[in-house]
Amino acid sequence: MLHNWTRSTMALVLAGVVNVAAPPQAAVASWSGSEYGTDTFRAGTVNPPTNLRCTAGLLAPPTFTWDLPVGGLTRSAFTWSLSGPFSGGGTLAANATTVTVPGPLLAIGSGTFQLSATGPGGWTSSQVTGSVGMLTTVLYFCSVP
């Protein structure tokens, strides 16, 4: 005959063998709510600078000037850059109307000057462009279409 403690011990051992954790089972769950939101959205455009023009010459690096855009979203800055064989650029104030391309950024040859306006959220206008470069180490040139 088994003693009570032996029966209890066997019951615990059997329970331990039978009570192995089952693997997780997939379940289907969903929820719904009646909340909704509304807002008003408005499209806008960051207008580019207008009337781009430039001057350059003997010992005179290219200087680009433009008129401020009229209408559109409020500008926060202008951004200019060079491409082609040249690299460089910068950011200008929202009310800027001129930039002189530093001579050391140029070399004999030609490239492109690009200018765009920056508006809210980093949105940018289309670019206005011009040609820029050097004919000799002291003679600069620029043109706009």
Side-chain angles (χ1 to χ4, degrees):
M1 175 158 257
L2 294 174
H3 295 292
N4 277 343
W5 67 270
T6 306
R7 286 186 199 153
S8 298
T9 304
M10 287 180 69
L12 285 174
V13 169
L14 288 176
V17 170
V18 173
N19 195 13
V20 173
Q25 299 295 314
V28 177
S30 66
W31 62 89
S32 63
S34 60
E35 297 82 20
Y36 64 93
T38 62
D39 202 347
T40 302
F41 296 95
R42 184 171 61 108
T45 301
V46 178
N47 290 335
T50 59
N51 195 24
L52 183 66
R53 51 210 181 270
C54 68
T55 58
L58 183 62
L59 298 176
T63 297
F64 287 89
T65 58
W66 59 90
D67 295 334
L68 295 174
V70 176
L73 297 173
T74 304
R75 289 175 317 285
S76 57
F78 286 101
T79 302
W80 68 274
S81 63
L82 299 174
S83 64
F86 313 129
S87 63
T91 302
L92 306 166
N95 61 350
T97 57
T98 187
V99 64
T100 299
V101 177
L105 293 180
L106 303 175
I108 295 176
S110 66
T112 303
F113 170 86
Q114 300 143 337
L115 176 70
S116 62
T118 304
W123 289 89
T124 58
S125 71
S126 57
Q127 291 183 339
V128 293
T129 62
S131 295
V132 62
M134 294 174 66
L135 296 172
T136 69
T137 57
V138 294
L139 183 57
Y140 299 92
F141 71 88
C142 63
S143 65
V144 293

